[in-house]
Amino acid sequence: MPAKRVKKTPMLERDAKLRASDFIEVNQGYSIAHATFEAERCLRCQDPLCVAGCPVHIPIPEFIHEIAAGNMAKAAKILRSANPLPAVCGRVCPQEDQCEQICHMAARFKPVGIGYLERFVADWERSHAKSEGPKKPTRSQRIAVIGGGPAGLVCAGDLARLGYPVTIFEGLHAPGGVLRYGIPEFRLPNEILDWEIDLLRDIGVEIVCNVVVGKTIQLDDLFDKMGYSAVFIGTGAGLPKFLGIPGENLNGVYSANEFLTRINLMQAYNFPETDTPLYVGKRVAVIGAGNTAMDAIRSALRVGAEEGMSIYRRSEKEMTARVEEYHHALEEGVKFHWLTNPVEILGNDEGRVTGVKCVRMELGQQDESGRARPLPIEGSEFVIPLDNIVLSLGNSPNPLLVNSTPGLEKNKHGCLVMEEDKPQTSRKWVYAGGDAVTGAATVILAAGAGKDAAAAIHKARVFIMAA
């Protein structure tokens, strides 16, 4: 069956109106006024808990104070000195669970809108950007970064600022990793990601695409044949998990990874102009209720689905999606089947999905995650008619690199094993961070890991030179 062509929907029209490139120009007047008003709510605490709660340790009171003073250029400089990807993190970082959660204002009032202010300053910077031209490295030790996702980009950016020649080796044909293929365009426009990446190129970061380390070249080649002094692994967690139930091999079943990659990176929405079809029927369900699940089902509605739903074995209280992403999904008509667990995917004689058999659940005692364990209710099976199912059950690291590199240790979950209190692997001069170490987590945690690794690499190189 041919893929459906994209039809113009109210959501697509709304997304077009809200593109970040239009935000500054259309809303310049009241946006600055609102940003200044919000910035003035910051107490500039002597003990800024918000900074400790930020994985990349942005000096939050300092950049917010400059907004309140009307000095947007200085605010942008402070922000970017700590975080090479402020326009990205301002959009996708869960500030409400980190810096804003422990803001002193939150004790009696709403916390300062740190995330919105970060996004505003980054967008202001983009609309007032002045290129200073490419900068040349000042150090001789070359550093290789494997993976062009958030961990790799931040690590490369910090090392380049320290004067190191840095090369990112990216397996796909465009850098960005999960920022490009895993987060929809309506939430993180590619033009913003490309702008951030171009700024990294301006400070000397070299990006080489279509190179899969562990297949195209080996990790040891980076040291032995190419002369790099240290390597950072930021390959993420791109291996999807499955339910292990009958019917998962039917046509119309996708992992969220494949579904979003086909839409975002391979332009499946534009078939047949592009040669990667994506069949989306009238009724689509995502299994899961995290941020990726919300991205997947909202994307499905934008590429032709008439009805979208989320099937989740726990209750609304236990869902892991951000509150704002959940609200956006509700606004767009997504239905939620709480305390519902799939036990079999049903199909027709042509091998295509027709529905999913589910069982009702009830919550028991807490499990190792700290959430109530869902237990099936006997005799409660029922069927939901569907055309597509997207499995959003989490991801684990791809084993290709670790399996092809002698001496690179991993744990039972496939994650790289690190030295205690150090972002260094079991191999000398090989560092790592992000989802390749922790398993699937957030963009900002990956960015923080990249930043920590850059500092560790620099400290080790300086120590060697001084010895």
Side-chain angles (χ1 to χ4, degrees):
M1 185 179 294
K4 295 180 67 173
R5 299 297 299 276
V6 176
K7 59 184 178 181
K8 202 165 188 178
T9 67
M11 281 181 293
L12 287 174
E13 293 175 353
R14 184 200 65 180
D15 293 342
K17 291 178 182 178
L18 294 178
R19 290 184 68 84
S21 58
D22 301 327
F23 181 78
I24 293 293
E25 298 301 326
V26 174
N27 302 308
Q28 183 71 44
Y30 77 82
S31 291
I32 288 182
H34 277 72
T36 302
F37 176 82
E38 185 64 20
E40 288 173 346
R41 295 181 62 236
C42 177
L43 299 174
R44 299 199 72 194
C45 312
Q46 290 185 345
D47 179 24
L49 298 178
C50 56
V51 177
C54 174
V56 293
H57 308 301
I58 292 172
I60 293 169
E62 283 80 357
F63 98 83
I64 289 180
H65 173 71
E66 296 303 334
I67 298 173
N71 194 341
M72 298 301 297
K74 190 170 182 180
K77 184 177 181 180
I78 293 171
L79 185 58
R80 188 165 292 282
S81 67
N83 181 10
L85 303 173
V88 169
C89 294
R91 285 169 166 79
V92 303
C93 176
Q95 291 93 355
E96 68 277 6
D97 295 327
Q98 296 174 153
C99 54
E100 292 179 10
Q101 185 180 51
I102 53 179
C103 171
H104 283 297
M105 284 289 288
R108 297 185 61 185
F109 307 100
K110 287 185 177 180
V112 176
I114 299 168
Y116 294 114
L117 292 174
E118 180 181 17
R119 172 176 174 168
F120 176 79
V121 170
D123 285 350
W124 181 93
E125 180 188 23
R126 191 164 68 93
S127 68
H128 294 77
K130 295 180 180 179
S131 176
E132 299 179 0
K135 296 182 179 179
K136 294 183 178 180
T138 58
R139 301 176 186 270
S140 60
Q141 301 90 359
R142 299 164 62 220
I143 313 297
V145 172
I146 304 174
L153 292 172
V154 170
C155 181
D158 275 17
L159 288 169
R161 285 199 188 97
L162 291 167
Y164 292 95
V166 185
T167 304
I168 295 176
F169 293 94
E170 167 58 43
L172 295 173
H173 64 268
V178 69
L179 302 175
R180 189 177 298 277
Y181 66 74
I183 299 177
E185 170 81 9
F186 61 81
R187 201 151 73 86
L188 178 59
N190 280 333
E191 63 180 297
I192 289 175
L193 176 60
D194 289 337
W195 176 71
E196 295 274 39
I197 292 173
D198 285 342
L199 290 181
L200 294 178
R201 288 190 172 101
D202 284 347
I203 62 173
V205 176
E206 179 187 12
I207 302 176
V208 180
C209 295
N210 301 309
V211 175
V212 179
V213 179
K215 189 70 173 179
T216 311
I217 59 175
Q218 297 302 316
L219 186 146
D220 287 335
D221 293 339
L222 297 173
F223 292 106
D224 301 336
K225 297 180 180 180
M226 304 174 73
Y228 287 96
S229 299
V231 172
F232 173 76
I233 300 174
T235 48
L239 189 65
K241 297 179 181 179
F242 294 88
L243 286 166
I245 62 175
E248 281 188 308
N249 60 341
L250 290 168
N251 291 325
V253 179
Y254 302 98
S255 70
N257 220 22
E258 177 190 2
F259 189 74
L260 291 169
T261 299
R262 282 176 176 264
I263 292 174
N264 295 344
L265 193 60
M266 304 176 78
Q267 301 178 24
Y269 55 81
N270 201 28
F271 181 80
E273 281 76 11
T274 53
D275 58 3
T276 304
L278 178 75
Y279 171 73
V280 176
K282 293 182 179 180
R283 291 170 58 86
V284 179
V286 62
I287 311 301
N291 291 320
T292 302
M294 299 304 102
D295 286 343
I297 199 62
R298 293 175 66 199
S299 295
L301 292 172
R302 285 163 171 75
V303 295
E306 296 177 5
E307 184 177 349
M309 64 193 79
S310 166
I311 298 173
Y312 186 52
R313 63 181 183 157
R314 290 185 168 93
S315 71
E316 179 182 8
K317 181 181 178 181
E318 285 79 29
M319 72 181 299
T320 58
R322 297 179 68 186
V323 172
E324 65 179 70
E325 299 306 324
Y326 175 45
H327 286 171
H328 289 323
L330 290 174
E331 289 173 352
E332 295 173 10
V334 175
K335 297 182 175 71
F336 287 82
H337 294 275
W338 306 112
L339 293 170
T340 303
N341 194 41
V343 294
E344 182 181 0
I345 301 173
L346 308 175
N348 57 23
D349 293 338
E350 298 176 351
R352 184 166 294 279
V353 171
T354 59
V356 60
K357 181 188 290 186
C358 298
V359 62
R360 301 288 185 192
M361 309 292 284
E362 60 184 358
L363 296 179
Q365 298 298 317
Q366 289 186 348
D367 61 14
E368 60 277 1
S369 71
R371 294 177 295 172
R373 184 185 300 277
L375 304 170
I377 299 175
E378 187 176 350
S380 63
E381 292 85 358
F382 67 103
V383 173
I384 302 175
L386 292 171
D387 300 304
N388 294 95
I389 293 177
V390 181
L391 304 174
S392 182
L393 310 170
N395 299 290
S396 58
N398 191 311
L400 176 62
L401 177 59
V402 67
N403 287 350
S404 64
T405 306
L408 199 58
E409 295 182 14
K410 64 178 179 179
N411 62 22
K412 63 180 181 179
H413 302 293
C415 301
L416 290 168
V417 174
M418 310 297 288
E419 285 192 11
E420 188 175 356
D421 299 326
K422 291 182 181 179
Q424 185 172 338
T425 70
S426 54
R427 288 283 305 269
K428 188 176 181 180
W429 295 113
V430 178
Y431 298 76
D435 292 1
V437 174
T438 62
T442 62
V443 167
I444 192 63
L445 287 175
K451 191 176 185 70
D452 291 343
I457 291 170
H458 176 58
K459 182 178 179 181
R461 295 309 316 178
V462 169
F463 177 79
I464 289 293
M465 292 181 66

